[in-house]
Amino acid sequence: MAVLRRADIITILPQFLIDVIAAGFDDSQIPWIASILKNYVLGFVAEETRLVSWADQSDATPEQFSQEYQQMYSILPKEQFPNIIRLATYTTSTDWQQEFHFGLSVLIDGLSAKKP
């Protein structure tokens, strides 16, 4: 797992600011954009860290967790939870890297649509 240190952020920040300013965003919006991206990354890392820690404490593999959750979802009443059951396969065994990149592209696309 790569660790992004404060020194790394300071190195990246000038180019980020150049890119966002060049995109035409108002100066007042630039800190919001930085915050949106920061919160996405930190939220994703926090979730991944929580799940890894949980798995380490129980000595279960990710595959075993996935199977346990699929079993839990499979006993739910279908008429009451049709969408949870339908999506269980995807929510219990995700490709973390693909999910992260998808979410980041959604944010970037959304920001692009907001460009002045």
Side-chain angles (χ1 to χ4, degrees), residues 2-114:
V3 176
L4 192 60
R5 297 165 303 172
R6 204 172 279 272
D8 297 325
I9 294 169
I10 295 299
T11 303
I12 296 168
L13 190 57
Q15 185 60 51
F16 169 78
L17 294 174
I18 290 168
D19 293 342
V20 177
I21 290 167
F25 285 99
D26 187 75
D27 284 357
S28 66
Q29 296 172 325
I30 293 172
W32 300 341
I33 294 167
S35 184
I36 288 167
L37 295 172
K38 174 197 71 169
N39 289 337
Y40 175 72
V41 170
L42 291 178
F44 201 90
V45 169
E47 177 71 0
E48 186 176 20
T49 301
R50 183 183 69 80
L51 293 174
V52 167
S53 175
W54 189 28
D56 287 347
Q57 290 174 7
S58 71
D59 294 325
T61 67
E63 292 79 18
Q64 289 169 325
F65 272 127
S66 178
Q67 289 172 353
E68 287 178 28
Y69 272 102
Q70 284 181 7
Q71 288 173 346
M72 182 183 72
Y73 290 142
S74 71
I75 63 172
L76 293 172
K78 290 181 182 178
E79 61 283 346
Q80 191 174 357
F81 302 101
N83 294 320
I84 291 174
I85 294 168
R86 189 182 102 214
L87 299 173
T89 300
Y90 305 105
T91 58
T92 60
S93 58
T94 188
D95 178 332
W96 293 105
Q97 186 172 4
Q98 188 176 9
E99 180 179 339
F100 178 80
H101 287 289
F102 174 79
L104 192 57
S105 71
V106 167
L107 287 173
I108 291 169
D109 290 349
L111 290 169
S112 295
K114 286 286 190 184

